[in-house]
């Protein structure tokens, strides 16, 4: 260290350490210009090409993203339209089912009413048949009772069947006319 300080002391009195020598300055400028030339000729075009490529990739990515977003929006709109159509169709089906249920209920009600009327009519017919049978049985019983009563009263026996029937028929006819006249008078 001492040696370098002495060497500087011997040389240094005329030379300022802050200001470089002219030869160093020229050499530095030439090296800087060569470096600048090499950078401009070889490095900068590669950076510009990489920058341009990167910019195109980004723009292409943006375009793809915009296209994908547009497709997604179109698919969403189509989905919403299909969903609305499906809801509308479901509502229509529900309304049709409700209407069909009402029609079926009305048909079943009409069928039940018709069946009820048929059963009532059948019951009335059975009642009429039973009434006619009971009336016939009562007439026969009344006829026998009347003949028996008449034979006791008259004291003679009515053996002849034809006479017996004629007497019973007359008696019943008189009862019918008396019942009809009494019913009409009331």
């Amino acid at each position: 260290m001492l040696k370098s300080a002495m060497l500087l002391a011997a040389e240094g009195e005329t030379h300022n350490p802050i200001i470089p020598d002219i030869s160093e300055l020229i050499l530095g400028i030439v090296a800087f210009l060569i470096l600048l030339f090499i950078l401009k000729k070889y490095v900068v075009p590669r950076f510009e090409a990489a920058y341009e490529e990167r910019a195109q990739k980004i723009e292409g990515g943006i375009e793809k993203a915009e296209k994908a977003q547009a497709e997604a929006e179109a698919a969403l709109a189509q989905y919403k339209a299909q969903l609305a159509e499906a809801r509308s169709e479901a509502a229509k089906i529900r309304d049709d089912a409700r209407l069909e249920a009402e029609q079926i209920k009305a048909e079943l009600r009409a069928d039940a009413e018709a069946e009820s009327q048929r059963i009532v009519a059948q019951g009335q017919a059975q009642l009429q048949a039973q009434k006619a049978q009971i009336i016939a049985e009562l007439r026969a019983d009344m006829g026998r009772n009347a003949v028996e009563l008449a034979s006791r009263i008259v004291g003679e026996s009515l053996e002849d069947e034809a006479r017996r029937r004629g007497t019973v028929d007359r008696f019943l006819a008189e009862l019918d006319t008396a019942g009809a006249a009494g019913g009409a008078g009331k």
Side-chain angles (χ1 to χ4, degrees):
M1 199 143 102
L2 194 58
K3 236 183 197 189
S4 66
M6 284 174 133
L7 188 60
L8 279 175
E11 253 181 55
E13 290 173 14
T14 61
H15 185 282
N16 188 356
I18 297 178
I19 299 175
D21 282 340
I22 295 287
S23 63
E24 287 179 2
L25 191 59
I26 291 174
L27 183 65
I29 290 174
V30 169
F32 178 73
L33 290 176
I34 291 173
L35 181 63
L36 190 62
F37 175 74
I38 292 173
L39 286 175
K40 190 170 184 179
K41 181 82 171 167
Y42 298 108
V43 177
V44 171
R46 286 187 180 174
F47 276 122
E48 285 182 2
Y51 173 75
E52 186 66 33
E53 183 180 334
R54 176 97 175 159
Q56 287 177 357
K57 283 184 181 179
I58 290 172
E59 287 176 7
I62 290 172
E63 288 176 7
K64 285 180 184 178
E66 288 174 352
K67 188 183 286 185
Q69 185 175 0
E71 289 175 1
E73 287 176 359
L76 179 63
Q78 183 179 7
Y79 169 74
K80 285 182 179 179
Q82 288 175 347
L83 184 62
E85 183 179 329
R87 285 182 179 159
S88 171
E89 189 172 330
K92 183 179 180 251
I93 289 171
R94 195 172 40 247
D95 290 343
D96 289 347
R98 195 174 292 130
L99 180 63
E100 188 174 334
E102 291 294 325
Q103 289 174 345
I104 290 171
K105 193 186 327 179
E107 288 174 4
L108 288 175
R109 194 174 283 143
D111 289 346
E113 192 169 314
E115 182 67 18
S116 171
Q117 288 176 354
R118 186 189 64 77
I119 290 172
V120 167
Q122 187 178 7
Q124 287 177 347
Q126 285 178 346
L127 283 175
Q128 291 297 329
Q130 286 177 351
K131 180 180 173 184
Q133 183 181 0
I134 290 172
I135 288 174
E137 287 176 5
L138 284 176
R139 281 187 177 189
D141 283 346
M142 267 176 68
R144 277 192 298 274
N145 289 339
V147 167
E148 191 178 317
L149 185 62
S151 73
R152 284 185 190 167
I153 291 177
V154 173
E156 64 183 76
S157 163
L158 298 174
E159 297 172 358
D160 186 3
E161 184 65 32
R163 272 177 59 193
R164 205 184 276 174
R165 284 186 193 255
T167 306
V168 169
D169 288 341
R170 257 185 287 131
F171 177 71
L172 290 176
E174 287 175 11
L175 278 177
D176 283 341
T177 56
K186 288 183 184 178

